Amino acid sequence: MDEFANVLDLVGVPGRARPADHEQVTVFADLGAWHGYALPDPAHAGGFTGPLYVAEEYPWWLAKVFSRLGLTDLDTGERVDLVLEGADALPGRLRQVCVGAGLTVTLGLWYTSHRTAVIDARVRHDGQGPRRLAVSWTGALLPHEYAPVLRGTDTGIAADFRDVRDRQAFLSTADARFEVSHDAPVITVVTGDGYRTDRVAPLVVAGEARLTWQESYTFTAAERDRLTPPAAPTPRDGAVAGPAAPPSHHGRGAVPGPEPSDARWARYLARALDGVAPDRRRLVVKAVSTLVTNWRSPAGALRRDGVTPSLSSTTAHGFWSWDSWKHAAGVARFDPALAASVIESVFDHQRDDGMVPDAVFFNRDGANWNERNTQPPLAAWAVWQVYHAGRDLAFLRRLYPRLVAYHRWWYDARDRCGFGICSYGATLDAGNDTDKAVAEAATWESGTDSAPRFDDVTVLPGRTGFTLDQESVCLNAYLAAEKDHLTLIARAVGSSDTFPSRTVASYVRDRMFDPVTGWFYDTIDGQPLVERGKGIEGVIPLWAGIATLPQTVAVRAALLDPGRFGTPVPCPSVSADSPEFTPDRRWRGPVWLDQLAFAVEGLRRAGFSGEAEALTARLFAHADGLAGDAPLHESYHPLTGARQGTPNVSWSAAAVLLMLKG
């Protein structure tokens, strides 16, 4: 694991309870836990930063370091001043080494379940005779008006959360609790927002002694009842006595299985790194780590494991549909079972009419849940990606009827004229009560809401709900690809169903391509909207495999042209020769790695593997921090490579795996 130490810089301590965009600290989480940790700076040695916890839908820092280890030599009465000698983030665990007064203290943190992290402290003394040490832990809540209440317990300390129904704070978390439990008798004294826990018996160190405690974040009493008490780790590093870390539980609160953390992560890396060039191995591990940290387990209305956009976001802590399709395709490269759950976590909320909501959250009736629209149809593609990786035919059989219902919904709801060509739109929803609201939801449905092609849209009544007046090239190319994948899935499950793609593919080729500019566009009444400029959506027909060879050659030329899409970081969301090209404005110039991955795959599919590799190499050479320890960001400046938007973004991580793993 040391080969991949610190692929992400996790060192930092928060300045306040509410995370701020300008002071992001990247954290580590695992097994779908709703709380994560970082590495401390020297001033906070002896504990791990945090935790950062998701209060159902919003993140907060509980403390700078909630459990900080303290040692006092009982023979001299002097407190041991622990000095940080080193701190590392390894795949699946955090580690720090502290020294002081002839002692070396090595702390490790890893997860044993979707609710619990374990911390193991090894205290070593190489001198003559045993050392008798008093052991304590201290911590204090970061102040804010909604802070939980501390109380001592028989095994340590608990923070009980208050019922606060404010979307800027946290929602109905009155039963939630963060709790620290130790493996030996302790006494805890709480003073205001701080506490001190003392181990009753001295720690006698003759060579090496160990301390173990676990830190759990639970939402319900039933979850707490399933927790196992802390136990000393077994000699195998990373495993704990009793139930250990599962490869993934993926279901409705399943009991953890027998696989230790280190073994699971070794399996992840073996799959993810297979065939990867040596100079890109650390980037692959960074991508895997990002996806795993953003994994959330069942809680509230979320019935099974899924992947959120980013634990570093202040709001993105639900499951989005097209995000999930892409997340699943990336996760399938190292854990097909988890990838299957990512897809099913969204389909759990499919409506009776077949529509899949845009976003689902912990709270079914909360402000963030959105059924005003869906998102681009990549579901069958994602399901096939997962099946290809894991060969789980039962998964394929479960999903097939849901995929068919979703595909048919698109034509029932978004094929306004009944000709087999669709437009983005909005549902009959209380939130879609004005033309402005409908247009907003319809552009959200595209996933590229602020793109120039939507600057002047008209809302029309649809067959059910509403549609825009323009037919979108990406939507219809995605639907053509869905038909091809649905046919593959039908054959695999033994169905004779067919999903002909000829009509939509012909329309995209014949009506949506402009031979003069050599690009694909949205259309109104069959006429390409050339005047709105070239957008990255024009590459999707290559990805879907429906462009002709001359069209592919023309698009390839634009992708490689420095004055169009061949910028230093390639494939900006808007061509550099467009009057609307604005590199620091969402979907009007920044490079989104998922769209770049589609372009790369489109070139590969057409036989232009060299050009695809050239785009990939240019990204890795010019995108800031991609090859170093910086987090994977939401987007990148196409000219300077500067990181933009939210850090630690899952679909960027998934796109990296798609580009490097094929």
Side-chain angles (χ1 to χ4, degrees), residues 368-391:
N368 293 316
W369 192 289
N370 182 33
E371 295 184 63
R372 292 171 57 191
N373 53 277
T374 183
Q375 285 192 311
L378 288 161
W381 164 76
V383 166
W384 190 252
Q385 293 279 312
V386 173
Y387 172 69
H388 188 266
R391 298 296 175 181

Side-chain angles (χ1 to χ4, degrees), residues 505-520:
S506 296
Y507 186 92
V508 171
R509 286 192 296 264
D510 299 343
R511 299 294 188 89
M512 295 184 148
F513 184 77
D514 175 56
V516 176
T517 57
W519 200 251
F520 288 93

Side-chain angles (χ1 to χ4, degrees), residues 247-248 250 268 292 295 305-307 331 334-343:
S248 50
H250 307 149
Y268 285 171
V292 172
W295 167 12
D305 299 68
V307 173
V331 171
F334 62 91
D335 188 345
L338 175 58
S341 182
V342 169
I343 291 175

Side-chain angles (χ1 to χ4, degrees), residues 424 446 448 453 472-479 522 537 540-541:
Y424 289 118
S446 75
T448 63
R453 59 179 169 145
S472 286
V473 61
C474 55
L475 171 57
N476 288 284
Y478 288 140
L479 287 168
D522 287 6
E537 66 274 1
I540 302 303

